[in-house]
Amino acid sequence: MASAYDSNNASDWRLVENRDVPEEVGRILAVLPSASIVVDPDGFVIQASARAYALGLITRNSVAIKEIVAMIERVVLDGETREQEMRVRRPPLGRELLELQVRVADLAPGRILILIDDLAEDRRVDAVRRDFVANVSHELKTPVGALSVLAEAVQSASDDADQVRHFAERMQVEASRLGHLIQDIIDLSRLQSDDPLLHAQVVNIDDVVHRAIEDVRTVADKREIDIVVACDPENFVYADFSQIQTALRNLLVNAIAYSSDGTSIAVYSRAVDAIVEITVKDQGVGIPTNDLDRIFERFYRVDPARSRVTGGTGLGLSIVKHVCQNHGGECTVWSEAGVGSSFTLRLPAYVPDEVVQAELEEGLAQMLDSNGEAQS
Ligand code: ADP
């Protein structure tokens, strides 16, 4: 049997305990753009597409939206296909509004099919893209302008070797800033245009945290900054691995950039109800309370001069925010100027089928036990 852990492809269907639907049906559903779920008459999820998981429509092998559950119950009763548009909060955090077109049909005896389209997605992407272009053109002008001024300075100081060296060094700094900016712009526009969850898979938090730390290891070592990790090895999310790695890397880059040499950074994770929390905590300069609301905006910097020195682009945290939104999560921040900051990614938890099964069995055993006690 295929394991849920093998799944790294949008067309992959997760199989639950030999209760799969016919293979050809699975193949047809996999090529449809809609999110799809097959349940049994009790509402237990038998198979579902990656997109359905990614939109947060499933928790612990049940459909997470009560309006859809009600439609399923009606279809189970009379076998009639139902279609409905609905505005619902995206589970599990409920921060985002989804506009869904839902169709529920009797697929085969004991098998109900649910097809779901997210109607608001195109509108959301367009709005974000429009104001992003406006911001970017403004930001690109700064390093390009600096390079042009420096090139003129080199020309007029051509007889003075020291001056030429000095201006050339500054040109290198500006060119590298431009390079970082372009890379961040590419990352951000990819996040905004691709269907980010096409590459969703089961991601172990401990793995992705270690990969992100490897990305910043050289810089941290150079600054003698220690990174301490305490991640629960049982924490999983259903996500695009590289997006989560990018978000964590950006948080780590900031934690290093805004801390003094020889300090420590802690990275830890835990599961709270249906959410996995991954925190990056530093002992750095901190962020004044007044700025906390704005730091996730594109190109917002608390101290533009310092950001220029650290080579910051002002896009790092907007990338983090987008990654979280794409996964139906959020990023929260706690900070105190002079004490440090702590950023937490909160993402919908993925609960492996074995765990759900074990919990069901444990619940059943407890029920039988208490029945036994009541009778004796
Ligand atoms: P930048 O590239 O300027 O670091 P970000 O979007 O990553 O841009 O962050 C926005 C601003 O938030 C930064 O300019 C900085 O002022 C503040 N900031 C982000 N992370 C931290 C941190 N760990 N400690 C202190 N300030 C931070």
Side-chain angles (χ1 to χ4, degrees):
M1 189 185 110
S3 140
Y5 296 90
D6 300 336
S7 165
N8 58 6
N9 181 322
S11 59
D12 267 352
W13 272 54
R14 298 185 42 227
L15 306 178
V16 181
E17 291 301 316
N18 298 325
R19 297 158 52 120
D20 44 325
V21 291
E23 207 184 314
E24 62 275 22
V25 176
R27 244 184 272 135
I28 294 169
L29 294 175
V31 296
L32 292 179
S34 317
S36 45
I37 307 172
V38 175
V39 296
D40 72 9
D42 296 325
F44 190 81
V45 174
I46 296 163
Q47 287 193 10
S49 64
R51 185 141 194 82
Y53 281 94
L55 280 170
L57 303 176
I58 295 162
T59 21
R60 293 178 177 254
N61 287 335
S62 301
V63 175
I65 293 177
K66 63 176 191 322
E67 288 84 347
I68 301 181
V69 173
M71 286 174 78
I72 298 169
E73 285 168 357
R74 269 176 265 136
V75 172
V76 169
L77 279 181
D78 60 15
E80 294 273 323
T81 300
R82 300 285 195 302
E83 188 160 343
Q84 196 178 319
E85 281 187 19
M86 54 181 77
R87 284 156 73 91
V88 293
R89 301 231 153 248
R90 181 172 175 171
L93 291 174
R95 303 268 190 275
E96 202 184 324
L97 208 55
L98 296 175
E99 268 183 65
L100 303 178
Q101 160 110 34
V102 183
R103 269 157 294 164
V104 182
D106 207 348
L107 181 67
R111 300 286 181 262
I112 312 293
L113 169 68
I114 307 133
L115 291 176
I116 303 144
D117 291 298
D118 178 7
L119 300 174
E121 192 177 2
D122 291 348
R123 242 177 290 147
R124 268 197 310 266
V125 171
D126 277 353
V128 173
R129 204 175 289 150
R130 262 197 310 275
D131 52 288
F132 178 57
V133 171
N135 283 335
V136 161
S137 3
H138 171 76
E139 287 291 324
L140 281 173
K141 280 183 189 148
T142 316
V144 171
L147 278 171
S148 147
V149 171
L150 287 165
E152 269 176 39
V154 168
Q155 241 172 4
S156 23
S158 54
D159 297 334
D160 184 339
D162 284 347
Q163 285 283 61
V164 168
R165 209 170 298 122
H166 170 72
F167 290 132
E169 272 167 18
R170 287 191 44 198
M171 285 175 90
Q172 259 171 353
V173 173
E174 290 300 332
S176 122
R177 223 160 84 76
L178 193 58
H180 285 145
L181 188 57
I182 290 169
Q183 187 54 53
D184 276 359
I185 291 168
I186 292 170
D187 282 354
L188 197 52
S189 42
R190 254 197 215 131
L191 281 176
Q192 289 166 357
S193 57
D194 276 11
D195 183 347
L197 299 168
L198 272 181
H199 310 288
Q201 64 184 104
V202 177
V203 173
N204 178 281
I205 296 302
D206 199 38
D207 279 354
V208 71
V209 162
H210 279 96
R211 289 274 282 277
I213 291 176
E214 280 320 303
D215 294 341
V216 300
R217 177 72 69 198
T218 321
V219 193
D221 286 351
K222 213 158 122 194
R223 306 266 320 275
E224 295 185 338
I225 290 177
D226 194 22
I227 304 178
V228 184
V229 188
C231 286
D232 183 338
E234 297 301 318
N235 286 166
F236 298 95
V237 290
Y238 198 64
D240 181 320
F241 191 101
S242 72
Q243 285 193 20
I244 305 295
Q245 184 180 351
T246 303
L248 284 167
R249 187 199 309 126
N250 287 0
L251 293 182
L252 286 163
V253 164
N254 282 349
I256 296 168
Y258 298 101
S259 292
S260 310
D261 293 0
T263 53
S264 291
I265 294 170
V267 187
Y268 49 89
S269 78
R270 60 177 189 154
V272 185
D273 298 328
I275 307 286
V276 169
E277 296 187 344
I278 316 154
T279 300
V280 177
K281 189 172 192 316
D282 65 51
Q283 303 170 318
V285 293
I287 303 163
T289 316
N290 287 346
D291 293 294
L292 278 178
D293 281 350
R294 303 205 53 195
I295 52 172
F296 291 95
E297 290 173 20
R298 285 180 292 256
F299 303 113
Y300 187 82
R301 293 128 173 152
V302 175
D303 176 356
R306 176 163 184 145
S307 177
R308 206 163 301 126
V309 174
T310 58
T313 60
L315 286 177
L317 289 180
S318 1
I319 291 175
V320 172
K321 187 176 104 179
H322 269 282
V323 169
C324 289
Q325 275 177 352
N326 284 345
H327 290 86
E330 64 179 356
C331 180
T332 58
V333 54
W334 170 91
S335 188
E336 202 175 320
V339 177
S341 311
S342 119
F343 286 84
T344 300
L345 303 183
R346 303 185 71 236
L347 302 167
Y350 170 84
V351 184
D353 296 335
E354 304 85 270
V355 176
V356 175
Q357 197 68 32
E359 282 176 2
L360 283 175
E361 280 164 17
E362 196 184 321
L364 198 63
Q366 276 174 2
M367 231 169 69
L368 292 175
D369 271 359
S370 58
N371 277 351
E373 275 166 26
Q375 278 169 15
S376 62

